Amino acid sequence: MLSSLPVTEISGIGEKMAEELSLLGIYTVEDFLFHFPFRYDMNEIKPITELQHNEKVTIVGKVVTEPSLTFFGRKKSRATVTLEVDYVAIKAIFFNQAFIKRQLQVGDTVTVTGKWDEHRLQITVSHYKKGTMKSSDAIQPVYPLKGKLTLNQLRKGMKAALHTYKTNIEEILPESFLINYKLPKRADGLQQMHFPENRILLKHAKRRFIYEELLLFQLKMQLLRKRKKEASVGNALQIQKDKVLQFIESLPFQLTNAQTKALNEIMADLRDPFRMNRLLQGDVGSGKTAVAAVGLYAAVTANKQGALMVPTEILAEQHYESLSQLFKGQAKVALLTGSVKGKKRRELAAQITKHEVDIVVGTHALIQEDVQFADLGFVIVDEQHRFGVEQRRVLRDKGLHPDVLFMTATPIPRTMAISAFGDMDVSVIDEMPEGRKPVETYWVKDNMLSRVLNFIMKEVNNGHQAYVICPLIEESDKLDIQNAVDVYHQLREYFPEEIQVGLMHGRLHSDEKDAVMKEFANNDIQVLVSTTVVEVGVNVPNATIMVIYDAERFGLSQLHQLRGRVGRGDAQSFCILLADPKSETGRERMRIMTETTDGFQLSEEDLKLRGPGDFFGTKQSGLPQFKVADLVQDYRALETARNDAAELVQSGQFFKDSSFSKLRKIVENDPYVKGQILD
Ligand code: ADP
Ligand code: MG
């Protein structure tokens, strides 16, 4: 087994080199063989007519003039040689390589690599070699190196390793996969990864290892998911379908197709005996709450209680009101937050315990000590990133195993969702209810501020309200951050007295925040200056303007969340980004914001601009580090691998068919799969 042979078994690799290799995490022959280049330098020889100006190119030519040499300064020199290439004379310039004069003679053939100047037909040579280049030199692999290890040592070692062990490299993919996807065999692919013969063979080799890596990753995910599900204690809810359909009929609108699809997925989870572990994603205003309401109602028809848990009191109140309206007495809904105290709280707790209440909406208060549900069947957690594993643990510790649905308005790019939530089911509402007016978005420079403020004034005079968002509170970064307190004072100065300006920031106590939000919701405040604390879920349909100071400081997803605070009523809404971005990426971000209101598209763009590590913070996301695959670039392969893995695991073929035995062994030996702790 190559995985148990130490690298020193490879001829030419001794203890010293083994030590250097260990810095790269390479200990065995297998580790070594699978240490892939991270880049390939292409030195392919192309006809002169195909060379790109200012690009690095490689040319083969015949020396037709004696090198002429000029010195300048003490050590600097410049040698010029005329080469004939395909009957064209070009100039090759060598800086500080005076020895050229002796080395190159008229009639010699030489291969030169360097920067091409199309206009002067001239190449500034960085590297040359007498004679024609071997085709295998055309593609130069570049490896990650550490310590004293050199590229040459590594390549020599690799040659020896492949020579000795290539025949021992076992295929792990079934033959049928190789045929279907036209992938090279593992051993051949490996050879090409290290010593590519040409671009095409290299491309197929990469394709193979990308697919292999992603398939293994997805198989692990699917396996974990299956185990988690089978080990879960859940309830099979006896939902009364006709009642649920009636309820859907009674809604003041028709569900969108996306809502219906998500709902069907949720209901199937409620009915089956496993515990639900599902994430519902949908843009702000896509109708998640409506879906939640039907889901909760379905649980009620099965004689279960339901709970909707949200991060703030304001949100709890808003949801309570909208659910009460939707249910119109068809289920008994209660509100339980930190402000429900004393006798009222005791009474409510008693009602919950006696199942006199069907659905409880609240903050984390609803999973506290004194609240004991009679029969909790379904819990929905809104804005899941604010709640964590902790709340789930509390539920479980209370002996409750309800189905749990997480909802989020933070769109996660499809590619990321597949990877990050591979062991979670995901439903997506990717369609907005009809008739929504998209928020008009403008990007303006800081010097337009007074025009923006006048615009706010005009809208306020028409009865509307505005948010003004500032990035940070107080002068932590004195130089250029507008702080909310300053802006608040400025706006109070600027606007006439009848326009009330409010201030909201993270250093306020939660009851102070709630008080400010209530005033805004009641239109006692017309302009709310705030930090990003208004980001989550707040619904004030009368607000039509969102102004964001220093917009370039926010990520696209965050800007999108903020923009989602407006455009919730019938009136046309506006989002104004005040920004003077210094970088092209910054300007690109502003442009994208003005061009689309689709949260998923924005999150994909964000991912492209920031890269996957940054997007989630790799540690927090638990995303694995891939060797060859790139989750953004290789998303097609990722989707294919995901579908293949899901089918193999769900159909059971993966466990029965002997052609998967090698893959099975690798997956089952994965430490994560082995040691998985069920939550
Ligand atoms: P989310 O929770 O995803 O932000 P909501 O469920 O709060 O979205 O819905 C936003 C608004 O759209 C609410 O006023 C809701 O009544 C309305 N709504 C939801 N679904 C539909 C639909 N299918 N057609 C029309 N309006 C809808
Ligand atoms: Mg909502």
Side-chain angles (χ1 to χ4, degrees):
M1 282 268 286
L2 299 180
S3 58
S4 49
L5 283 183
V7 265
T8 46
E9 289 291 308
I10 299 166
S11 75
I13 297 186
E15 290 299 335
K16 265 230 176 82
M17 185 164 162
E19 213 163 285
E20 303 293 334
L21 287 171
S22 74
L23 299 176
L24 289 160
I26 298 170
Y27 302 95
T28 66
V29 173
E30 187 179 78
D31 294 341
F32 187 68
L33 285 168
F34 286 86
H35 183 61
F36 289 138
F38 66 92
R39 195 182 78 216
Y40 296 85
D41 280 345
M42 298 295 178
N43 300 326
E44 282 170 299
I45 297 160
K46 288 189 199 155
I48 297 239
T49 48
E50 282 177 28
L51 300 180
Q52 298 283 322
H53 183 61
N54 271 344
E55 294 276 292
K56 191 177 167 201
V57 301
T58 299
I59 307 174
V60 178
K62 201 179 237 170
V63 178
V64 291
T65 61
E66 284 283 317
S68 76
L69 186 62
T70 30
F71 282 93
F72 39 100
R74 267 201 323 148
K75 285 190 175 151
K76 293 185 178 151
S77 71
R78 178 191 148 116
T80 311
V81 183
T82 306
L83 302 178
E84 185 240 285
V85 184
D86 308 334
Y87 305 104
V88 179
I90 69 150
K91 274 207 160 53
I93 318 282
F94 300 77
F95 283 106
N96 308 322
Q97 298 176 65
F99 45 83
I100 286 295
K101 175 111 178 128
R102 271 178 291 115
Q103 291 205 340
L104 292 184
Q105 259 96 57
V106 173
D108 281 350
T109 302
V110 64
T111 306
V112 289
T113 300
K115 196 163 141 184
W116 177 242
D117 182 331
E118 187 178 52
H119 312 301
R120 296 183 171 148
L121 292 181
Q122 173 174 305
I123 180 169
T124 306
V125 179
S126 55
H127 181 83
Y128 82 98
K129 204 172 169 183
K130 270 173 100 165
T132 31
M133 192 174 61
K134 280 182 287 174
S135 69
S136 57
D137 288 338
I139 306 176
Q140 287 287 339
V142 186
Y143 290 87
L145 294 171
K146 270 202 179 133
K148 294 193 193 104
L149 188 69
T150 68
L151 183 62
N152 270 337
Q153 282 176 317
L154 196 135
R155 282 177 61 80
K156 255 175 88 179
M158 200 59 81
K159 201 166 203 166
L162 278 167
H163 182 76
T164 316
Y165 299 109
K166 191 177 165 187
T167 48
N168 300 24
I169 297 165
E170 291 181 339
E171 182 54 66
I172 60 170
L173 296 176
E175 182 80 24
S176 59
F177 279 45
L178 299 184
I179 294 169
N180 274 346
Y181 295 133
K182 299 194 171 61
L183 299 174
K185 279 206 159 27
R186 203 162 194 243
D188 296 335
L190 205 59
Q191 174 82 39
Q192 293 300 327
M193 288 297 278
H194 295 295
F195 298 98
E197 275 170 62
N198 60 47
R199 265 174 206 266
I200 298 187
L201 289 175
L202 174 60
K203 192 176 106 189
H204 291 311
K206 278 195 200 158
R207 243 178 5 97
R208 183 213 145 93
F209 288 106
I210 288 169
Y211 178 75
E212 177 184 312
E213 187 166 44
L214 293 173
L215 182 69
L216 279 168
F217 167 54
Q218 286 300 325
L219 283 168
K220 283 176 207 167
M221 287 292 201
Q222 293 295 331
L223 209 66
L224 286 177
R225 180 169 168 170
K226 182 169 179 283
R227 288 205 191 149
K228 210 165 171 174
K229 200 166 182 177
E230 285 168 357
S232 71
V233 187
N235 308 297
L237 264 55
Q238 306 295 317
I239 294 170
Q240 299 181 48
K241 201 174 166 194
D242 47 334
K243 278 196 177 169
V244 176
L245 289 176
Q246 263 172 32
F247 180 68
I248 293 173
E249 282 292 305
S250 80
L251 293 174
F253 42 74
Q254 223 185 340
L255 294 180
T256 61
N257 289 335
Q259 279 174 314
T260 305
K261 182 160 177 276
L263 200 53
N264 285 337
E265 289 163 353
I266 290 165
M267 305 258 263
D269 284 358
L270 288 174
R271 276 203 202 96
D272 75 24
F274 310 115
R275 207 166 96 221
M276 179 192 302
N277 183 29
R278 183 173 291 278
L279 178 72
L280 176 62
Q281 278 195 72
D283 226 331
V284 178
S286 62
K288 292 183 297 300
T289 312
V291 169
V294 182
L296 288 168
Y297 183 78
V300 172
T301 69
N303 282 323
K304 295 278 178 184
Q305 287 169 300
L308 175 58
M309 197 153 57
V310 299
T312 67
E313 297 216 346
I314 308 171
L315 268 178
E317 280 168 28
Q318 284 181 354
H319 275 126
Y320 171 69
E321 267 156 41
S322 45
L323 286 191
S324 303
Q325 265 170 29
L326 291 173
F327 286 125
K328 289 188 230 115
Q330 297 177 76
K332 183 136 181 8
V333 189
L335 174 69
L336 181 55
T337 63
S339 357
V340 181
K341 290 187 184 118
K343 186 163 170 246
K344 243 180 118 185
R345 187 182 176 100
R346 281 195 300 277
E347 278 173 13
L348 181 53
Q351 286 180 314
I352 293 171
T353 309
K354 282 187 259 166
H355 203 152
E356 288 166 12
V357 167
D358 299 310
I359 292 163
V360 190
V361 182
T363 53
H364 57 275
L366 67 79
I367 54 167
Q368 258 143 37
E369 285 291 286
D370 58 329
V371 186
Q372 297 293 340
F373 284 86
D375 198 354
L376 185 60
F378 188 24
V379 176
I380 302 181
V381 180
D382 197 8
E383 291 310 333
Q384 54 105 20
H385 53 282
R386 299 249 166 158
F387 284 102
V389 181
E390 185 56 20
Q391 275 83 357
R392 291 222 264 174
R393 194 187 56 73
V394 174
L395 281 172
R396 199 178 51 237
D397 288 355
K398 291 178 119 178
L400 299 168
H401 302 282
D403 283 321
V404 181
L405 176 71
F406 296 94
M407 296 203 297
T408 180
T410 312
I412 294 152
R414 296 186 79 79
T415 47
M416 289 289 110
I418 293 177
S419 329
F421 305 115
D423 62 346
M424 214 180 188
D425 298 302
V426 180
S427 296
V428 178
I429 307 185
D430 53 3
E431 175 188 10
M432 284 288 179
E434 260 176 56
R436 283 285 157 76
K437 293 194 190 90
V439 178
E440 280 180 27
T441 303
Y442 299 97
W443 164 31
V444 302
K445 301 284 166 67
D446 294 343
N447 58 17
M448 301 269 281
L449 181 61
S450 52
R451 281 181 64 181
V452 172
L453 296 183
N454 290 340
F455 181 56
I456 293 181
M457 207 135 66
K458 207 178 103 203
E459 281 286 294
V460 169
N461 287 335
N462 286 333
H464 294 301
Q465 290 165 276
Y467 295 94
V468 176
I469 305 295
C470 315
L472 282 180
I473 166 77
E474 273 142 34
E475 302 203 305
S476 54
D477 186 355
K478 283 186 186 132
L479 291 173
D480 56 4
I481 295 177
Q482 300 273 356
N483 79 53
V485 180
D486 270 1
V487 173
Y488 166 70
H489 288 298
Q490 277 166 17
L491 295 194
R492 269 182 34 160
E493 290 283 305
Y494 193 90
F495 291 131
E497 279 194 356
E498 64 271 19
I499 296 183
Q500 291 296 320
V501 182
L503 175 64
M504 169 87 135
H505 58 70
R507 304 248 176 112
L508 296 179
H509 279 291
S510 64
D511 36 351
E512 288 175 304
K513 277 188 215 159
D514 280 0
V516 175
M517 273 325 293
K518 262 174 215 161
E519 284 182 83
F520 190 61
N522 294 334
N523 200 0
D524 295 332
I525 290 173
Q526 285 78 45
V527 178
L528 183 63
V529 176
S530 174
T531 56
T532 54
V533 289
V534 293
E535 203 183 323
V536 177
V538 175
N539 189 21
V540 180
N542 192 44
T544 53
I545 303 189
M546 168 62 64
V547 176
I548 305 173
Y549 277 58
D550 293 345
E552 76 271 21
R553 290 177 182 273
F554 297 96
L556 282 176
S557 302
Q558 204 178 9
L559 288 172
H560 180 64
Q561 285 295 308
L562 288 167
R563 177 166 62 185
R565 299 301 108 218
V566 296
R568 310 190 127 232
D570 297 330
Q572 178 61 54
S573 289
F574 306 90
C575 174
I576 297 164
L577 309 168
L578 275 168
D580 281 317
K582 302 283 177 289
S583 67
E584 185 47 43
T585 322
R587 288 188 284 274
E588 181 63 21
R589 291 228 302 269
M590 295 304 112
R591 274 194 291 273
I592 295 170
M593 280 301 293
T594 60
E595 281 162 13
T596 181
T597 53
D598 177 334
F600 282 97
Q601 196 185 331
L602 280 165
S603 70
E604 295 281 355
E605 297 291 342
D606 211 10
L607 181 61
K608 274 186 216 147
L609 291 174
R610 291 203 282 170
D614 237 26
F615 190 84
F616 267 128
T618 309
K619 279 216 183 82
Q620 164 205 340
S621 72
L623 283 182
Q625 294 288 321
F626 291 101
K627 269 187 168 170
V628 274
D630 174 320
L631 291 182
V632 181
Q633 269 169 35
D634 303 321
Y635 77 93
R636 296 271 299 269
L638 179 63
E639 272 182 331
T640 309
R642 205 268 306 255
N643 294 341
D644 290 347
E647 202 193 297
L648 288 177
V649 170
Q650 274 159 33
S651 69
Q653 204 190 348
F654 183 61
F655 307 98
K656 287 177 234 145
D657 197 324
S658 65
S659 64
F660 296 108
S661 61
K662 298 220 173 67
L663 283 174
R664 213 154 55 215
K665 213 159 149 195
I666 296 173
V667 172
E668 279 164 0
N669 276 322
D670 183 87
Y672 189 53
V673 173
K674 263 184 171 170
Q676 169 71 7
I677 305 153
L678 294 170
D679 97 343

